[in-house]
Amino acid sequence: MNILDISKDIIATAQRPLDQAQTLPPQAYTDEAWFTHEAEHILRAGWLCAGHVSQLKQPGATLPLDLLGEPVMLVRGNDDVIRVLSRVCPHRASDLLLGGEATGCHVAGSVLTCPYHHWTFALDGKLMGAPHMQGAVDFNKAEWKLNNIRSAVWEGFIFVNLNDEAPPLETYFADFTAIAAPWQLAEMELVISMDWDCAFNWKVMVENWIESYHHIGPHSKTLNPYMPAQDTWTEPPNGAFVYAHLPMTGRDAAPVREAIASGAPGTGFLPIPGVPVERQGEWNLFVGFPCFMLLLARDRAIWYRLQPISAERCRLTTTTLVSRASLQAPGYAQTLEAETKMLFDFHVEDMQVNEAVQRGLRSRHAVRGRLSQLEEPVWQFHRLLAAQMADFR
Ligand code: FES
Ligand SMILES: [Fe+2]
């Protein structure tokens, strides 16, 4: 299958009604040429979530990140504005970080220094110093800077658009904003963060994140006793995100239901004030297209940051955010430890199935499967993918 065939196939597949829905062609998850196409027209063309404001508290705070081959860094400036700067030095193109994103970024005296010839930059990217350049005729420092990459902050999450073509994030996520507003996500603190190297396609991760049919499989002992697969349901499609509800109707969720009914804090972190009672008794699960994975619960938000790398590889950071008041609650340290373990345990269950899926997709025996009605979120994700691709046929 060439790129055009894969593209036509995805568009045709997404047109099938839910009761006829099937999986995408396996090549959409394994073919490098297709990944390159998708990276250009889906990922760089969309809004990718890179960080949360609580990760950049003070002026001079930085968060480096390699995104689709672009070395970038999130920086809070002296003016308190968060910018996304290219890490590519305008002198001889060195990455400002010798070891890439993993090394972190040292800011001394509000100045970023390139390790190669020590050109220095202000936190907004302007060139401050360039040693021994007096012999370069017409060299004007004001003309040289680190590129500012288009970014936007949505409810405290910092998004990047790598090709300047995405619609304004505010407009794109307008309906999403209305749903998420009660959680006051911009006021939350990111307290758990774990990195994962993933041997699977980015869409395998997104599809696994957004459907809960698999609670009966890998999560049969962890999540299913709280949120049984058969009770999950999905909001009607919209043009920007998928929204699935995971009601806590299971046997093990009885204490949570009682706490909500009586207004007691219950287990876990402190409940977030203002979350409507009808939203408290469920996990509210979202994918903001293309790959912003967010879960909103009574006492926390879970956010998965995705960095697609190649057809069969991505990096993932699994995080949890809680209210500031939670940090002061009695027993916070024990709660944090228990909830970190909970996030780790159920994510390991997902890692194993995702790797198993990728091995299957690579096989010559991979077939086009049919979807359950419980996989409506996957069907909706495919429709968003197809709608975006239809513009590039
Ligand atoms: S490459 Fe950055 S100073 Fe030379
Ligand atoms: Fe899962």
Side-chain angles (χ1 to χ4, degrees):
M1 259 180 144
N2 62 28
I3 290 178
L4 189 62
D5 292 337
I6 298 174
S7 175
K8 279 186 189 155
D9 189 322
I10 292 175
I11 291 167
T13 302
Q15 277 162 2
R16 295 165 75 104
L18 178 59
D19 60 7
Q20 294 290 326
Q22 64 174 25
T23 58
L24 301 183
Q27 290 87 345
Y29 303 84
T30 58
D31 186 283
E32 285 304 336
W34 177 254
F35 175 77
T36 304
H37 180 80
E38 207 175 45
E40 192 57 32
H41 300 302
I42 305 286
L43 299 166
R44 287 193 193 97
W47 285 104
L48 304 176
C49 191
H52 182 262
V53 289
S54 66
Q55 295 175 287
L56 297 151
K57 286 204 174 64
Q58 305 298 331
T62 60
L63 187 67
L65 166 80
D66 295 337
L67 210 47
L68 296 163
E70 280 301 333
V72 305
M73 77 186 133
L74 283 53
V75 185
R76 191 185 281 273
N78 288 326
D79 52 5
D80 232 22
V81 173
I82 294 175
R83 295 178 179 81
V84 178
L85 299 178
S86 166
R87 298 201 314 261
V88 178
C89 180
H91 175 225
R92 294 251 304 281
S94 173
D95 183 342
L96 256 54
L97 299 181
L98 277 181
E101 70 169 6
T103 41
C105 184
H106 179 62
V107 177
S110 294
V111 162
L112 300 156
T113 304
C114 177
Y116 204 175
H117 312 92
H118 283 202
W119 284 25
T120 53
F121 304 89
L123 300 179
D124 62 0
K126 283 197 195 77
L127 180 64
M128 306 289 287
H132 310 302
M133 289 295 289
Q134 60 273 31
V137 175
D138 293 337
F139 175 73
N140 177 0
K141 273 201 301 196
E143 291 168 9
W144 302 91
K145 58 177 171 36
L146 299 174
N147 272 322
N148 250 278
I149 294 168
R150 187 177 179 217
S151 64
V153 180
W154 175 86
E155 299 293 300
F157 287 98
I158 304 145
F159 284 77
V160 185
N161 170 227
L162 294 171
N163 78 352
D164 287 337
E165 285 172 15
L169 186 58
E170 218 184 300
T171 321
Y172 185 60
F173 274 174
D175 294 344
F176 198 172
T177 312
I179 298 163
W183 273 266
Q184 302 174 65
L185 293 163
E187 304 304 317
M188 291 176 97
E189 290 284 328
L190 190 146
V191 293
I192 302 173
S193 178
M194 290 179 264
D195 292 322
W196 308 79
D197 261 314
C198 307
F200 41 84
N201 182 270
W202 69 277
K203 299 188 296 302
V204 169
M205 182 63 243
V206 171
E207 292 171 8
N208 166 264
W209 166 266
I210 197 61
E211 61 89 356
S212 305
Y213 178 33
H214 75 277
H215 282 197
I216 57 174
H219 307 311
S220 61
K221 294 196 171 57
T222 47
L223 300 181
N224 206 55
Y226 289 88
M227 292 158 289
Q230 70 273 13
D231 292 345
T232 62
W233 59 283
T234 313
E235 295 280 348
N238 67 71
F241 60 95
V242 182
Y243 179 9
H245 296 263
L246 285 58
M248 296 205 190
T249 49
R251 185 176 21 98
D252 289 4
V256 186
R257 290 196 300 270
E258 281 158 27
I260 294 166
S262 68
T267 55
F269 300 104
L270 285 189
I272 298 153
V275 174
V277 75
E278 64 276 18
R279 298 281 80 83
Q280 291 184 30
E282 61 182 8
W283 277 9
N284 299 263
L285 196 59
F286 305 88
V287 168
F289 190 77
C291 58
F292 174 50
M293 292 176 273
L294 182 71
L295 182 158
L296 300 178
R298 184 180 187 227
D299 64 336
R300 77 194 71 186
I302 293 179
W303 162 50
Y304 279 16
R305 185 178 76 175
L306 189 62
Q307 294 163 267
I309 292 173
S310 64
E312 303 205 56
R313 231 187 115 212
C314 57
R315 266 172 68 79
L316 188 71
T317 309
T318 56
T319 80
T320 298
L321 299 98
V322 302
S323 70
R324 278 189 205 138
S326 268
L327 275 60
Q328 312 301 330
Y332 169 71
Q334 292 89 316
T335 308
L336 185 65
E337 196 183 326
E339 298 303 337
T340 305
K341 185 177 177 323
M342 191 276 294
L343 182 64
F344 180 86
D345 288 350
F346 84 72
H347 187 64
V348 166
E349 295 167 348
D350 285 317
M351 286 291 285
Q352 287 171 343
V353 286
N354 287 343
E355 285 169 8
V357 165
Q358 191 72 35
R359 289 199 299 279
L361 288 167
R362 218 181 286 141
S363 159
R364 65 179 60 195
H365 297 293
V367 293
R368 308 292 292 274
R370 289 289 301 275
L371 300 182
S372 156
Q373 77 282 357
L374 292 173
E375 287 163 297
E376 178 174 352
V378 173
W379 174 77
Q380 285 196 23
F381 172 65
H382 293 170
R383 289 167 69 87
L384 289 169
L385 200 62
Q388 175 77 10
M389 272 170 8
D391 294 344
F392 293 98
R393 264 210 295 177

